[in-house]
C-alpha cells in the first residue's frame, strides 16, 4: 500500500494520483434534473419539480435500488457538470439513467434555467462518456427530435399521434 495512500471505501488516493477500485458487480445510478423556475423569459414549470421528485421516489423503490441524485434549477453548465460528476465512476456493468424534466427547444435541445441550450449532439457527447447501459428520458417540448420524431420528419410526432388515435378509434368500433 505504501506511505501516504488513503482509501475512502471506493478510491485509493496518494499524492496527486487517484486509483479507482474495480467492482465487477452491477450498480444502478440515476441523475434526475427537474427545472421549475427559469431566470430567462421562459415560463415557470413547477410540475417539472414534482415530476423529478416522483421519479426519484419511484427509482428508490425498485429492486435493485437505484442510487438517485436529484438536482433542480440547473443552468446549462450545471447540467453538464452534474452528468460528469454523477456518472464519473461508471463501469461497463452499470446501468445509468439520465432524466430531464423542463423546457425543451426546437431541434430537441434541453434548456438550462439560464436560458442556454444543450443541443442533442452536446448531450450525446457527454452521455457517450458514461460507461455501461444508459437510459435517457427527456420530458420536454420537442424531445421527440432526440429520436428523429419531430415535425416535418418522416414518421413525425404528429403522424405518430394520428396513428395512435386512429388505432384506438378503430378498436372501439369492434366492441
Amino acid at each position: 500500500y505504501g506511505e501516504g495512500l488513503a482509501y475512502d471505501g471506493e478510491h485509493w488516493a496518494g499524492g496527486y494520483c487517484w486509483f479507482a477500485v474495480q467492482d465487477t458487480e452491477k450498480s444502478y445510478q440515476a441523475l434526475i434534473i427537474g427545472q421549475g423556475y427559469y431566470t430567462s423569459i421562459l415560463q415557470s414549470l413547477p410540475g417539472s419539480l414534482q415530476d423529478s421528485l416522483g421519479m426519484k421516489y419511484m427509482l428508490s423503490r425498485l429492486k435493485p435500488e437505484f442510487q438517485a441524485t436529484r438536482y433542480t434549477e440547473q443552468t446549462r453548465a450545471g447540467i453538464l457538470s452534474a452528468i460528469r460528476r454523477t456518472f464519473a465512476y461508471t463501469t461497463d456493468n452499470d446501468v445509468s439513467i439520465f432524466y430531464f424534466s423542463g423546457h425543451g427547444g426546437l431541434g430537441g435541445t434541453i434548456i438550462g434555467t439560464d436560458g442556454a441550450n444543450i443541443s442533442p449532439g452536446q448531450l450525446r457527447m457527454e452521455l457517450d462518456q458514461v460507461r455501461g447501459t444508459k437510459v435517457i428520458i427527456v420530458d420536454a417540448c420537442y424531445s421527440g427530435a432526440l429520436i428523429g420524431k419531430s415535425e416535418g420528419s418522416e414518421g413525425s410526432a404528429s403522424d405518430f399521434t394520428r396513428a395512435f388515435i386512429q388505432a384506438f378509434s378503430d378498436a372501439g368500433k369492434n366492441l
Side-chain angles (χ1 to χ4, degrees):
Y1 293 96
E3 192 172 312
L5 289 179
Y7 182 65
D8 68 2
E10 186 177 348
H11 305 91
W12 284 100
Y16 297 110
C17 298
W18 280 93
F19 305 94
V21 175
Q22 286 290 48
D23 184 0
T24 57
E25 291 186 31
K26 188 176 286 196
S27 71
Y28 300 83
Q29 58 270 327
L31 171 58
I32 300 164
I33 298 178
Q35 306 284 71
Y37 302 99
Y38 285 77
T39 58
S40 64
I41 61 169
L42 295 171
Q43 181 180 2
S44 295
L45 297 172
S48 291
L49 296 174
Q50 289 300 314
D51 292 345
S52 66
L53 196 59
M55 179 62 77
K56 183 173 182 178
Y57 175 76
M58 186 271 306
L59 289 172
S60 71
R61 312 246 328 139
L62 293 176
K63 298 296 179 210
E65 183 177 330
F66 273 79
Q67 177 65 41
T69 304
R70 179 177 173 254
Y71 291 99
T72 61
E73 318 311 349
Q74 294 296 298
T75 63
R76 176 190 185 281
I79 294 168
L80 296 173
S81 177
I83 292 170
R84 291 180 203 120
R85 282 191 320 270
T86 302
F87 302 123
Y89 300 105
T90 56
T91 70
D92 292 336
N93 295 326
D94 295 343
V95 176
S96 302
I97 293 177
F98 173 78
Y99 173 86
F100 176 87
S101 182
H103 277 296
L106 290 173
T109 63
I110 61 174
I111 304 175
T113 56
D114 56 355
N117 293 335
I118 299 173
S119 72
Q122 292 166 322
L123 182 61
R124 180 174 183 158
M125 198 169 14
E126 287 298 325
L127 293 172
D128 277 350
Q129 302 306 309
V130 179
R131 295 173 58 197
T133 302
K134 295 168 279 242
V135 177
I136 294 96
I137 304 167
V138 177
D139 180 7
C141 288
Y142 305 105
S143 61
L146 291 167
I147 59 169
K149 300 292 182 192
S150 61
E151 290 300 319
S153 67
E154 184 177 325
S156 72
S158 56
D159 291 341
F160 173 80
T161 302
R162 279 192 290 280
F164 183 82
I165 292 170
Q166 187 63 47
F168 279 90
S169 297
D170 292 345
K173 293 176 185 173
N174 296 326
L175 294 177

